[in-house]
Coordinates of all heavy atoms in Angstrom, one line a residue:
S7 N 100.2 74.3 127.5 CA 101.5 74.8 127.0 C 101.6 76.3 127.2 O 100.6 77.0 127.4 CB 101.5 74.4 125.5 OG 100.6 75.2 124.7
A8 N 102.8 76.8 127.1 CA 103.0 78.2 127.4 C 102.6 79.0 126.2 O 102.7 78.6 125.0 CB 104.5 78.4 127.6
P9 N 102.2 80.3 126.4 CA 101.8 81.2 125.3 C 103.1 81.4 124.4 O 104.2 81.5 124.9 CB 101.4 82.5 126.0 CG 101.4 82.2 127.4 CD 102.0 80.9 127.7
E10 N 102.8 81.6 123.1 CA 103.9 81.8 122.2 C 103.9 83.2 121.6 O 104.9 83.7 121.0 CB 103.8 80.8 121.0 CG 103.9 79.4 121.4 CD 103.7 78.4 120.2 OE1 103.5 78.9 119.1 OE2 103.9 77.2 120.5
Y11 N 102.8 84.0 121.8 CA 102.7 85.3 121.2 C 102.4 86.3 122.3 O 101.8 86.0 123.3 CB 101.5 85.3 120.2 CG 101.6 84.2 119.2 CD1 100.9 83.0 119.4 CD2 102.5 84.2 118.1 CE1 101.0 81.9 118.5 CE2 102.6 83.2 117.3 CZ 101.9 82.0 117.4 OH 102.0 81.0 116.6
F12 N 103.0 87.5 122.1 CA 102.9 88.5 123.1 C 102.4 89.9 122.5 O 102.9 90.2 121.4 CB 104.3 88.8 123.8 CG 104.3 89.7 124.9 CD1 104.0 89.2 126.2 CD2 104.6 91.0 124.8 CE1 104.0 90.0 127.3 CE2 104.6 91.9 125.9 CZ 104.3 91.4 127.1
S13 N 101.6 90.6 123.2 CA 101.2 91.9 122.7 C 101.6 92.9 123.9 O 101.2 92.6 125.0 CB 99.7 92.0 122.5 OG 99.3 91.3 121.4
Y14 N 102.3 93.9 123.5 CA 102.8 94.8 124.6 C 101.6 95.6 125.1 O 100.9 96.2 124.3 CB 103.8 95.8 124.0 CG 105.1 95.1 123.5 CD1 105.3 94.8 122.2 CD2 106.0 94.6 124.4 CE1 106.4 94.1 121.7 CE2 107.1 94.0 124.0 CZ 107.3 93.7 122.6 OH 108.4 93.0 122.2
P15 N 101.4 95.7 126.4 CA 100.4 96.5 127.0 C 100.5 98.0 126.6 O 101.6 98.5 126.7 CB 100.6 96.4 128.5 CG 101.3 95.0 128.7 CD 102.2 95.0 127.4
N16 N 99.5 98.5 126.0 CA 99.4 99.9 125.5 C 100.5 100.1 124.4 O 100.8 101.2 124.1 CB 99.7 100.9 126.6 CG 98.6 100.8 127.7 OD1 97.4 100.8 127.4 ND2 99.1 100.8 128.9
G17 N 101.0 99.0 123.9 CA 102.0 99.1 122.8 C 103.4 99.6 123.3 O 104.3 99.9 122.5
N18 N 103.6 99.7 124.6 CA 104.8 100.2 125.2 C 106.0 99.1 125.0 O 105.9 98.1 125.6 CB 104.7 100.4 126.7 CG 103.7 101.5 126.9 OD1 103.4 102.4 126.1 ND2 103.0 101.5 128.1
C19 N 106.9 99.5 124.1 CA 108.1 98.6 123.9 C 109.2 99.4 123.4 O 109.1 100.5 122.8 CB 107.7 97.5 123.0 SG 107.6 97.9 121.3
N20 N 110.4 98.8 123.6 CA 111.6 99.4 123.0 C 112.5 98.1 122.8 O 112.1 97.0 123.1 CB 112.2 100.5 123.8 CG 112.5 100.0 125.3 OD1 112.9 98.8 125.5 ND2 112.4 100.9 126.2
Q21 N 113.7 98.3 122.3 CA 114.6 97.2 122.1 C 114.9 96.4 123.4 O 115.0 95.2 123.3 CB 115.9 97.7 121.5 CG 115.8 98.1 120.0 CD 115.4 97.0 119.1 OE1 115.7 95.8 119.3 NE2 114.6 97.3 118.1
E22 N 115.1 97.1 124.5 CA 115.3 96.4 125.7 C 114.2 95.5 126.2 O 114.4 94.4 126.5 CB 115.7 97.4 126.9 CG 116.0 96.8 128.2 CD 116.2 97.8 129.3 OE1 116.2 99.0 129.0 OE2 116.5 97.3 130.4
I23 N 113.0 96.1 126.1 CA 111.8 95.3 126.5 C 111.6 94.1 125.5 O 111.3 93.0 125.9 CB 110.5 96.2 126.5 CG1 110.7 97.2 127.7 CG2 109.3 95.4 126.7 CD1 109.7 98.3 127.7
A24 N 111.8 94.4 124.2 CA 111.7 93.3 123.2 C 112.7 92.2 123.5 O 112.3 91.0 123.4 CB 111.9 93.9 121.8
G25 N 113.9 92.5 124.0 CA 114.8 91.5 124.3 C 114.4 90.7 125.5 O 114.6 89.5 125.5
L26 N 113.7 91.3 126.5 CA 113.2 90.6 127.6 C 112.1 89.6 127.2 O 112.1 88.5 127.6 CB 112.7 91.5 128.7 CG 113.7 92.4 129.3 CD1 113.0 93.5 130.2 CD2 114.6 91.6 130.2
V27 N 111.3 90.1 126.3 CA 110.2 89.2 125.8 C 110.8 88.0 125.0 O 110.4 86.9 125.2 CB 109.2 90.0 124.9 CG1 108.2 89.1 124.1 CG2 108.5 91.0 125.7
R28 N 111.8 88.3 124.2 CA 112.5 87.2 123.4 C 113.1 86.2 124.4 O 113.0 85.0 124.3 CB 113.6 87.8 122.6 CG 114.4 86.8 121.8 CD 115.5 87.4 120.9 NE 115.9 88.8 121.2 CZ 115.5 89.9 120.5 NH1 114.8 89.8 119.4 NH2 115.9 91.1 120.9
D29 N 113.8 86.7 125.5 CA 114.4 85.9 126.4 C 113.5 85.0 127.2 O 113.8 83.9 127.7 CB 115.3 86.7 127.4 CG 116.5 87.4 126.8 OD1 116.8 87.0 125.6 OD2 117.0 88.3 127.4
E30 N 112.2 85.4 127.3 CA 111.2 84.6 128.0 C 110.6 83.5 127.2 O 109.9 82.7 127.6 CB 110.1 85.6 128.5 CG 110.5 86.4 129.7 CD 110.9 85.6 130.9 OE1 110.2 84.6 131.3 OE2 111.9 85.9 131.5
G31 N 111.0 83.5 125.9 CA 110.7 82.3 125.1 C 109.5 82.5 124.1 O 109.1 81.6 123.5
Y32 N 109.0 83.8 124.0 CA 107.9 84.0 123.1 C 108.5 83.9 121.6 O 109.6 84.2 121.4 CB 107.3 85.4 123.3 CG 106.5 85.5 124.5 CD1 107.1 86.0 125.7 CD2 105.2 85.2 124.6 CE1 106.4 86.0 126.9 CE2 104.4 85.2 125.7 CZ 105.0 85.7 126.9 OH 104.3 85.8 128.0
R33 N 107.6 83.6 120.7 CA 108.0 83.5 119.3 C 108.0 84.8 118.6 O 108.8 85.1 117.7 CB 107.1 82.5 118.6 CG 107.3 81.0 119.1 CD 106.5 80.0 118.3 NE 106.7 80.1 116.9 CZ 105.8 79.7 116.0 NH1 104.7 79.2 116.4 NH2 106.1 79.8 114.7
V34 N 106.9 85.6 118.9 CA 106.8 86.9 118.3 C 106.1 87.8 119.3 O 105.5 87.4 120.2 CB 105.9 86.9 117.0 CG1 106.6 86.1 115.9 CG2 104.5 86.4 117.2
A35 N 106.1 89.2 119.0 CA 105.5 90.1 119.9 C 104.9 91.3 119.0 O 105.6 91.7 118.1 CB 106.4 90.6 121.0
F36 N 103.8 91.8 119.4 CA 103.1 92.8 118.6 C 103.0 94.1 119.3 O 102.8 94.2 120.5 CB 101.7 92.4 118.2 CG 101.6 91.2 117.4 CD1 101.6 89.9 117.9 CD2 101.7 91.3 116.0 CE1 101.5 88.8 117.2 CE2 101.6 90.2 115.2 CZ 101.6 88.9 115.8
T37 N 103.3 95.2 118.6 CA 103.2 96.6 119.1 C 101.8 97.1 118.8 O 101.0 96.4 118.2 CB 104.2 97.5 118.5 OG1 103.9 97.7 117.1 CG2 105.6 96.9 118.7
T38 N 101.5 98.4 119.0 CA 100.3 99.0 118.5 C 100.7 100.0 117.3 O 99.8 100.7 116.9 CB 99.6 99.8 119.6 OG1 100.5 100.7 120.2 CG2 99.1 98.9 120.7
R39 N 101.9 99.9 116.9 CA 102.3 100.7 115.7 C 101.6 100.2 114.5 O 101.5 99.0 114.2 CB 103.8 100.6 115.5 CG 104.6 101.1 116.6 CD 106.1 100.9 116.4 NE 106.8 101.2 117.7 CZ 108.0 100.8 118.0 NH1 108.6 100.0 117.2 NH2 108.5 101.1 119.2
R40 N 101.0 101.1 113.7 CA 100.2 100.7 112.6 C 101.0 100.4 111.4 O 102.0 101.1 111.1 CB 99.2 101.9 112.3 CG 98.2 101.5 111.2 CD 97.2 102.6 111.1 NE 96.3 102.3 110.0 CZ 95.4 103.0 109.5 NH1 95.2 104.2 110.0 NH2 94.6 102.6 108.5
G41 N 100.7 99.3 110.7 CA 101.3 99.0 109.5 C 101.4 97.5 109.2 O 100.9 96.7 110.0
H42 N 101.9 97.2 108.1 CA 102.0 95.8 107.6 C 103.4 95.2 108.0 O 104.4 96.0 108.1 CB 101.8 95.7 106.1 CG 100.4 96.0 105.7 ND1 99.3 95.2 105.9 CD2 99.9 97.2 105.2 CE1 98.2 95.8 105.5 NE2 98.6 97.0 105.0
I43 N 103.4 94.0 108.2 CA 104.7 93.3 108.5 C 105.4 93.0 107.2 O 104.8 92.6 106.2 CB 104.4 92.0 109.2 CG1 103.7 92.2 110.6 CG2 105.7 91.2 109.4 CD1 103.2 91.0 111.2
A44 N 106.7 93.3 107.1 CA 107.5 93.1 105.9 C 108.6 92.1 106.2 O 109.0 91.9 107.4 CB 108.1 94.4 105.5
P45 N 109.1 91.4 105.2 CA 110.3 90.5 105.4 C 111.4 91.3 106.1 O 111.7 92.4 105.7 CB 110.6 90.1 104.0 CG 109.4 90.3 103.2 CD 108.7 91.5 103.8
G46 N 112.0 90.7 107.0 CA 113.1 91.3 107.7 C 112.8 92.1 108.9 O 113.7 92.5 109.7
D47 N 111.5 92.3 109.2 CA 111.1 93.1 110.4 C 111.4 92.3 111.6 O 111.4 91.0 111.6 CB 109.5 93.3 110.4 CG 109.1 94.4 109.5 OD1 110.0 95.1 108.9 OD2 107.9 94.6 109.3
D48 N 111.8 93.0 112.7 CA 112.1 92.4 113.9 C 110.8 91.7 114.4 O 109.8 92.3 114.6 CB 112.6 93.4 114.9 CG 113.0 92.9 116.3 OD1 112.5 91.8 116.7 OD2 113.8 93.5 117.0
R49 N 110.8 90.4 114.6 CA 109.6 89.7 115.0 C 109.2 89.9 116.4 O 108.2 89.4 116.9 CB 109.8 88.2 114.8 CG 110.8 87.5 115.6 CD 111.0 86.0 115.1 NE 112.1 85.4 115.8 CZ 112.0 84.4 116.5 NH1 110.9 83.8 116.7 NH2 113.1 83.9 117.1
F50 N 109.9 90.7 117.2 CA 109.6 91.1 118.5 C 109.1 92.6 118.6 O 108.8 93.1 119.7 CB 110.7 90.8 119.5 CG 110.9 89.3 119.6 CD1 111.9 88.7 118.9 CD2 110.1 88.6 120.5 CE1 112.1 87.3 119.0 CE2 110.3 87.2 120.6 CZ 111.3 86.6 119.8
I51 N 109.0 93.2 117.4 CA 108.5 94.6 117.4 C 107.6 94.7 116.1 O 107.8 95.5 115.2 CB 109.6 95.6 117.4 CG1 110.5 95.5 118.6 CG2 109.0 97.1 117.4 CD1 111.7 96.5 118.6
L52 N 106.6 93.8 116.0 CA 105.8 93.7 114.8 C 104.7 94.8 114.9 O 104.0 95.0 115.9 CB 105.2 92.3 114.7 CG 106.2 91.2 114.4 CD1 105.5 89.9 114.4 CD2 106.9 91.5 113.1
K53 N 104.4 95.4 113.7 CA 103.3 96.3 113.6 C 102.0 95.5 113.4 O 102.0 94.3 113.1 CB 103.6 97.2 112.3 CG 104.8 98.1 112.5 CD 105.0 98.8 111.2 CE 106.2 98.2 110.6 NZ 106.6 98.6 109.3
R54 N 100.9 96.2 113.5 CA 99.6 95.6 113.2 C 98.6 96.6 112.7 O 98.8 97.8 112.9 CB 99.1 94.8 114.4 CG 98.8 95.7 115.6 CD 98.4 94.8 116.8 NE 98.2 95.7 117.9 CZ 97.8 95.2 119.1 NH1 97.6 93.9 119.2 NH2 97.6 96.0 120.1
N55 N 97.6 96.2 112.2 CA 96.4 97.0 111.8 C 95.3 96.7 112.7 O 94.8 95.6 112.8 CB 96.0 96.7 110.3 CG 97.0 97.2 109.4 OD1 97.5 98.4 109.4 ND2 97.5 96.4 108.5
N56 N 94.9 97.8 113.5 CA 93.8 97.6 114.4 C 92.5 97.5 113.7 O 92.1 98.3 112.9 CB 93.8 98.9 115.3 CG 92.9 98.7 116.5 OD1 92.6 97.6 116.9 ND2 92.5 99.8 117.1
I57 N 91.8 96.4 114.1 CA 90.5 96.2 113.6 C 89.5 96.3 114.7 O 89.6 95.6 115.7 CB 90.3 94.8 113.0 CG1 91.4 94.5 111.9 CG2 88.9 94.5 112.5 CD1 91.3 95.4 110.7
Y58 N 88.6 97.3 114.6 CA 87.7 97.5 115.7 C 86.3 97.5 115.2 O 86.1 97.7 114.0 CB 88.0 98.8 116.5 CG 88.0 100.0 115.6 CD1 86.9 100.8 115.5 CD2 89.1 100.4 114.9 CE1 86.8 101.9 114.7 CE2 89.1 101.5 114.1 CZ 88.0 102.3 114.0 OH 88.0 103.3 113.2
D59 N 85.3 97.3 116.0 CA 83.9 97.1 115.6 C 83.4 98.3 114.7 O 82.9 98.0 113.7 CB 83.0 97.0 116.9 CG 81.6 96.7 116.5 OD1 81.3 95.9 115.6 OD2 80.7 97.4 117.0
G60 N 83.7 99.5 115.1 CA 83.2 100.6 114.3 C 83.8 100.7 112.9 O 83.2 101.3 112.0
G61 N 85.0 100.2 112.8 CA 85.7 100.4 111.5 C 85.7 99.2 110.6 O 86.3 99.1 109.6
A62 N 84.9 98.1 111.0 CA 84.9 96.9 110.2 C 83.5 96.2 110.2 O 83.4 95.0 110.2 CB 85.9 95.9 110.7
R63 N 82.5 97.1 110.2 CA 81.1 96.5 110.3 C 80.7 95.8 109.0 O 79.8 94.9 109.0 CB 80.1 97.6 110.6 CG 80.3 98.1 112.0 CD 79.3 99.1 112.4 NE 79.6 99.5 113.7 CZ 78.8 100.1 114.5 NH1 77.6 100.4 114.1 NH2 79.2 100.5 115.7
T64 N 81.2 96.2 107.9 CA 80.9 95.6 106.6 C 82.1 95.0 106.0 O 83.2 95.4 106.3 CB 80.3 96.6 105.6 OG1 81.3 97.6 105.2 CG2 79.1 97.4 106.2
L65 N 81.9 94.1 105.1 CA 83.1 93.4 104.4 C 83.9 94.5 103.7 O 85.2 94.4 103.8 CB 82.6 92.3 103.5 CG 83.7 91.5 102.8 CD1 84.7 90.9 103.8 CD2 83.1 90.5 101.9
P66 N 83.4 95.4 102.9 CA 84.2 96.4 102.2 C 85.0 97.2 103.2 O 86.2 97.5 103.0 CB 83.3 97.3 101.4 CG 82.1 96.4 101.2 CD 82.0 95.5 102.4
M67 N 84.4 97.6 104.3 CA 85.2 98.4 105.3 C 86.3 97.5 106.0 O 87.4 98.0 106.2 CB 84.2 98.9 106.4 CG 83.3 100.0 106.0 SD 82.0 100.4 107.2 CE 83.0 101.2 108.4
F68 N 86.0 96.3 106.2 CA 87.0 95.4 106.8 C 88.2 95.2 105.8 O 89.3 95.3 106.2 CB 86.4 94.0 107.1 CG 87.3 93.0 107.6 CD1 87.8 93.0 108.9 CD2 87.8 92.0 106.7 CE1 88.8 92.1 109.3 CE2 88.7 91.0 107.2 CZ 89.2 91.1 108.5
L69 N 87.9 94.9 104.5 CA 88.9 94.8 103.5 C 89.8 96.0 103.4 O 91.0 96.0 103.3 CB 88.3 94.3 102.2 CG 87.7 92.9 102.2 CD1 87.0 92.7 100.9 CD2 88.8 91.9 102.5
A70 N 89.1 97.2 103.4 CA 89.9 98.5 103.3 C 90.8 98.6 104.5 O 91.9 99.1 104.3 CB 88.9 99.6 103.2
R71 N 90.3 98.2 105.6 CA 91.2 98.4 106.8 C 92.4 97.4 106.8 O 93.5 97.9 107.1 CB 90.3 98.0 108.1 CG 90.9 98.4 109.3 CD 91.0 99.9 109.5 NE 91.5 100.2 110.8 CZ 91.9 101.4 111.2 NH1 91.8 102.4 110.3 NH2 92.4 101.5 112.3
I72 N 92.2 96.2 106.4 CA 93.3 95.3 106.4 C 94.3 95.5 105.3 O 95.5 95.2 105.4 CB 92.9 93.8 106.5 CG1 92.2 93.4 105.2 CG2 92.2 93.5 107.7 CD1 91.9 91.9 105.1
L73 N 93.8 96.2 104.2 CA 94.7 96.5 103.1 C 95.4 97.8 103.3 O 96.2 98.2 102.5 CB 93.9 96.5 101.8 CG 93.3 95.2 101.3 CD1 92.4 95.3 100.1 CD2 94.5 94.2 101.0
G74 N 95.1 98.5 104.3 CA 95.7 99.8 104.6 C 95.2 101.0 103.8 O 95.8 102.0 103.8
I75 N 94.0 100.8 103.2 CA 93.4 101.9 102.4 C 92.8 102.9 103.3 O 92.8 104.1 103.1 CB 92.3 101.3 101.5 CG1 93.0 100.4 100.5 CG2 91.6 102.4 100.8 CD1 92.0 99.5 99.6
W76 N 92.3 102.5 104.5 CA 91.7 103.3 105.5 C 92.1 103.0 106.8 O 92.3 101.9 107.2 CB 90.2 103.2 105.3 CG 89.4 103.9 106.4 CD1 89.3 105.2 106.7 CD2 88.7 103.2 107.5 NE1 88.6 105.4 107.8 CE2 88.2 104.2 108.3 CE3 88.5 101.9 107.8 CZ2 87.4 103.9 109.4 CZ3 87.7 101.6 108.9 CH2 87.2 102.6 109.7

């Protein structure tokens, strides 16, 4: 089956690029903009919280990262 989710390379996107991704049939697309997703957000320009090895080695560090505390 075809992929349903898209992540913009290097987070490069704008409304025009998001429209192209939508037209290709993806369900959602993620940027590299930091933050939480809120109701009403454009599903083709979704923010995310980057989780990387150095910042999530312990459970408390991981939870702080996904909650936006750090």
Side-chain angles (χ1 to χ4, degrees):
S7 70
E10 298 179 356
Y11 310 99
F12 187 85
S13 291
Y14 298 101
N16 300 313
N18 298 334
C19 75
N20 57 34
Q21 289 295 329
E22 181 181 359
I23 294 170
L26 294 171
V27 170
R28 179 181 19 255
D29 293 347
E30 286 300 315
Y32 289 93
R33 292 181 56 203
V34 298
F36 297 91
T37 68
T38 55
R39 297 173 192 160
R40 188 172 177 187
H42 296 283
I43 298 169
D47 284 353
D48 183 333
R49 63 186 173 122
F50 293 95
I51 305 180
L52 294 175
K53 295 173 254 173
R54 63 184 179 180
N55 290 309
N56 189 21
I57 304 296
Y58 57 94
D59 184 45
R63 290 183 185 199
T64 67
L65 182 58
M67 289 173 70
F68 175 75
L69 292 173
R71 192 69 176 168
I72 63 172
L73 293 173
I75 297 170
W76 168 71

